Amino acid sequence: MPLVRSLISIPAGVERMSVSLFLVLTAIGSLVWNTALILAGYLLGEQWHLVESSVGVFQKVVLVAAVAAVTWFVMVKVRARRSVSEKVK
């Protein structure tokens, strides 16, 4: 899911996550995802096309969840900044 991998770096950068932690977490996520797909393909053998349709649905669910999480993250940050600016006034 290239789009999610690209978008996840935005909140990581905003929060100034260390590059090493980001790389470790990205590698773990990639390992889990790829392992699941490899195992599913291996276990299904010639029926691998069944995985393809399931992965498509799962990707959409993950994408919607990621967009919701990023939206929530941005809203929390904006509200926090507004709160701080109102206290300064």
Side-chain angles (χ1 to χ4, degrees), residues 6-18 22 70 72-78 80-81:
S6 298
L7 290 178
I8 200 63
S9 60
I10 294 170
V14 168
E15 284 298 306
R16 303 207 188 286
M17 178 185 284
S18 72
F22 180 76
V70 168
W72 175 81
F73 176 81
V74 169
M75 288 174 55
V76 167
K77 291 297 177 184
V78 167
R81 285 194 181 182

Side-chain angles (χ1 to χ4, degrees), residues 34-49 51:
N34 289 325
T35 300
L37 290 178
I38 290 167
L39 284 173
Y42 176 77
L43 294 173
L44 289 171
E46 292 297 318
Q47 303 279 333
W48 66 268
H49 61 279
V51 173

Side-chain angles (χ1 to χ4, degrees), residues 1 3-4 8 11 14 21 29 34 36 50-52 54 79 81:
M1 295 188 310
L3 181 62
V4 173
I8 200 63
V14 168
L21 178 60
N34 289 325
L50 298 174
V51 173
E52 188 175 25
S54 299
R79 287 180 183 162
R81 285 194 181 182

Side-chain angles (χ1 to χ4, degrees), residues 1 5 22-38:
M1 295 188 310
R5 285 192 304 253
F22 180 76
L23 290 175
V24 167
L25 294 176
T26 300
I28 291 169
S30 180
L31 179 68
V32 169
W33 180 250
N34 289 325
T35 300
L37 290 178
I38 290 167

